[in-house]
Amino acid sequence: MGTENGRNVGKIVEIKGVVIDAVVLDRLAGILNAVEIHVPNGRIVAEVQQHLGDDRVRAVAMDSTDGLSRGT
């Protein structure tokens, strides 16, 4: 976690359908901002809906989360 190539990097801690909770240590993405999740076959874009505290955000994926796992 941290910054990678000037981008903020985090880790997925929970997945409930298309709802994703992630921990980000540097700075949280703003509400309604997009976050990218890189997966082997491309990427998943999610929109931040809520700041949960403890450096966590809740986002809604704009595509299927099949194959996505915690720790990604």
Side-chain angles (χ1 to χ4, degrees), residues 36-57:
E36 286 185 1
I37 303 163
H38 295 279
V39 293
N41 296 339
R43 67 186 175 122
I44 297 173
V45 176
E47 183 179 280
V48 175
Q49 296 294 312
Q50 187 176 17
H51 291 162
L52 301 174
D54 295 330
D55 298 322
R56 290 183 183 222
V57 296

Side-chain angles (χ1 to χ4, degrees), residues 3-49:
T3 324
E4 182 178 288
N5 294 331
R7 295 181 180 202
N8 214 8
V9 178
K11 185 185 291 188
I12 295 174
V13 292
E14 193 168 348
I15 304 166
K16 297 179 239 169
V18 295
V19 178
I20 299 166
D21 290 354
V23 172
V24 183
L25 290 182
D26 284 344
R27 68 183 193 290
L28 296 178
I31 293 176
L32 301 181
N33 283 340
V35 293
E36 286 185 1
I37 303 163
H38 295 279
V39 293
N41 296 339
R43 67 186 175 122
I44 297 173
V45 176
E47 183 179 280
V48 175
Q49 296 294 312

